[in-house]
Amino acid sequence: MSITYKDAAGVQGMRTAGRLASEVLDHITPFIKPGITTKEIDQLAAQCMHKQGSVSATLGYQPNGYPPYPASLCTSVNHVVCHGIPNDKPLKKGDIVNVDVTVIKDGWYGDTSRMFIIGEASIAATRLVKLTYEAMWQGIMRVKPGVRLGDIGHAIQQFAESHGFSVVREFCGHGIGRTFHEEPQVLHYGKPGTLDELKPGMTFTIEPMINLGRRDVKEHGNDGWTIVTRDRSLSAQWEHTVLVTETGYEVMTLSAGSPPPPTFVHG
Ligand code: MF3
Ligand code: CO
Ligand code: CO
């Protein structure tokens, strides 16, 4: 399938789905404290989606070669890079966890994730979480017609590596709309002036996975989903779904609880 361009109705559908995904994160935020399990977070999110009249895009999701994903969201703790499956292990002070929510509303998909610091974390972990948020925004702020995907990837990579971190290569952002993962692929590294040109109506995610150590990842083991850093160093990720507008971008996955953009972002 090729890149899809959203008309006014599509944009409205994406706005609603995006806001709802973000509101699921708002809903679970006060509960994310030492002692809660990621399975409990999953149950809170499932209840919230039910109330919204939205449906989890991840529950039962089964791309080629994968087992069906068993939960309503992903919870990736510490050295887990992405696709962590909620379990019965309580979170403890000092953990960092990514919670990634994708909902479907009226056939449209909204995909967003945030990092949570449990209690207080090490200086290194706290810095990784903050700078990964800034790396995502380094990508978002460049989105406008005429810019190329390689420009976006380059900005993120440049920023992350200039702070001594590494960028995961095996997973990327993606076009999104009436399907979860569509064209184009949105790499979080790259060369300026390369790859697809952004055009109004495109919607895609920017979701950099940034490691404190080396960039290499591996499958964790037997669940078919969990991805970890090969060197077991910490990994962080943030995700927004964005629309290319006539003049720039609009973030689709915002809600009352969204953290503000970094101060280097204007307009
Ligand atoms: N939400 C993830 C993304 O950003 C995909 C998760 S797929 C799952 O693309 F099956 F692991 F949930
Ligand atoms: Co995504
Ligand atoms: Co996601």
Side-chain angles (χ1 to χ4, degrees), residues 104-240:
I104 313 168
K105 178 71 173 181
D106 298 332
W108 297 101
Y109 285 67
D111 188 7
T112 184
S113 79
R114 297 182 199 158
M115 292 299 296
F116 296 86
I117 295 175
I118 308 305
E120 220 176 281
S122 69
I123 289 170
T126 305
R127 187 166 167 272
L128 176 68
V129 167
K130 176 174 189 268
L131 289 167
T132 302
Y133 184 65
E134 294 183 1
M136 173 185 69
W137 275 100
Q138 287 288 339
I140 294 172
M141 69 192 278
R142 288 176 168 79
V143 171
K144 67 173 179 189
V147 166
R148 288 177 178 273
L149 282 170
D151 301 323
I152 305 295
H154 177 77
I156 293 168
Q157 178 182 18
Q158 182 58 38
F159 182 84
E161 291 180 355
S162 74
H163 288 93
F165 300 135
S166 63
V167 177
V168 171
R169 306 291 176 100
E170 288 81 355
F171 299 90
C172 57
H174 48 92
I176 182 169
R178 284 192 178 279
T179 54
F180 196 165
H181 295 105
E182 53 188 61
E183 285 182 36
Q185 292 197 78
V186 181
L187 304 180
H188 304 112
Y189 61 92
K191 289 197 205 350
T194 65
L195 304 175
D196 287 316
E197 191 179 306
L198 304 187
K199 299 205 172 81
M202 288 172 71
T203 50
F204 54 83
T205 71
I206 298 182
E207 49 178 304
M209 283 145 269
I210 309 283
N211 299 347
L212 203 52
R214 299 182 63 86
R215 68 175 171 84
D216 310 77
V217 302
K218 62 175 184 184
E219 274 190 46
H220 178 251
N222 48 16
D223 67 27
W225 280 102
T226 308
I227 304 296
V228 297
T229 55
R230 212 168 253 284
D231 64 6
R232 296 186 65 86
S233 68
L234 293 175
S235 187
Q237 179 180 27
W238 292 79
E239 176 176 23
H240 270 314

Side-chain angles (χ1 to χ4, degrees), residues 26-97:
D26 293 355
H27 176 76
I28 62 177
T29 295
F31 299 96
I32 304 188
K33 289 190 285 212
I36 194 170
T37 68
T38 48
K39 222 177 220 173
E40 288 166 340
I41 296 171
D42 183 58
Q43 284 156 4
L44 288 166
Q47 286 161 12
C48 180
M49 291 177 202
H50 183 79
K51 264 200 177 155
Q52 290 178 337
S54 71
V55 172
S56 166
T58 61
L59 188 62
Y61 181 58
Q62 187 171 19
N64 269 338
Y66 284 80
Y69 188 80
S72 296
L73 45 63
C74 299
T75 50
S76 301
V77 180
N78 294 334
H79 70 295
V80 178
V81 173
C82 62
H83 303 165
I85 296 174
N87 61 30
D88 289 316
K89 194 174 162 199
L91 294 173
K92 57 180 195 308
K93 180 172 174 287
D95 286 340
I96 60 170
V97 53

Side-chain angles (χ1 to χ4, degrees), residues 10-23:
V11 168
Q12 205 43 257
M14 290 296 289
R15 269 192 198 118
T16 301
R19 176 178 48 79
L20 291 176
S22 189
E23 285 176 352

